[in-house]
């Protein structure tokens, strides 16, 4: 347990921040799942639209500091690759 008032305040702040970041991470996962479903269905137009929304959500998570920029780039790259493979 935190001893000082400042340490107690930090614990409260961290709890709030953790809840917000968990929500943001969950949102990213949801959009990636929607993309996965579009790819599994084989619908290229739907997959491209899902990729666009997933990419913007991933980049939003980067700007909020939830995930690292390189991790986001890697995810977007892999998703894009799957859309390209869909048409080939």
């Amino acid at each position: 347990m935190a001893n000082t008032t400042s340490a107690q305040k930090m614990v409260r702040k961290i709890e709030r921040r953790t809840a917000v970041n968990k929500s943001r991470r969950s949102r990213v996962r949801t959009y990636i799942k929607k993309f996965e479903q579009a790819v599994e269905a084989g619908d290229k137009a739907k997959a491209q639209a899902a990729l666009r929304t997933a990419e913007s959500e991933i980049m939003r998570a980067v700007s909020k500091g939830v995930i690292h920029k390189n991790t986001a780039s890697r995810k977007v790259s892999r998703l894009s690759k799957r859309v390209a493979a869909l048409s080939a």
Side-chain angles (χ1 to χ4, degrees), residues 2 4 8-11 14 17 19 22 26 30 42 44-45 49 51-53 55 59 62-63 65 70 76 79 82 88:
T4 62
Q8 289 170 346
K9 181 176 179 179
M10 284 307 297
V11 167
I14 289 167
R17 195 178 326 130
K22 189 183 281 187
S26 174
T30 300
K44 187 179 180 193
L51 172 65
R52 218 171 298 118
T53 57
E55 183 177 359
M59 289 308 168
V62 169
S63 70
N70 292 354
V76 169
L79 296 178
R82 291 189 61 192

Side-chain angles (χ1 to χ4, degrees), residues 37 40 68 74:
Q37 290 169 349
E40 301 239 344
H68 194 272
R74 184 177 67 243

Side-chain angles (χ1 to χ4, degrees), residues 23-39 46-61 79:
S23 163
R24 287 182 180 140
R25 235 187 331 270
S26 174
R27 224 174 122 85
V28 168
R29 285 195 206 107
T30 300
Y31 280 98
I32 290 174
K33 281 179 194 164
K34 287 180 182 176
F35 170 80
E36 299 283 343
Q37 290 169 349
V39 168
K46 200 171 182 182
Q48 284 177 329
L51 172 65
R52 218 171 298 118
T53 57
E55 183 177 359
S56 71
E57 199 58 45
I58 290 168
M59 289 308 168
R60 182 174 292 123
L79 296 178

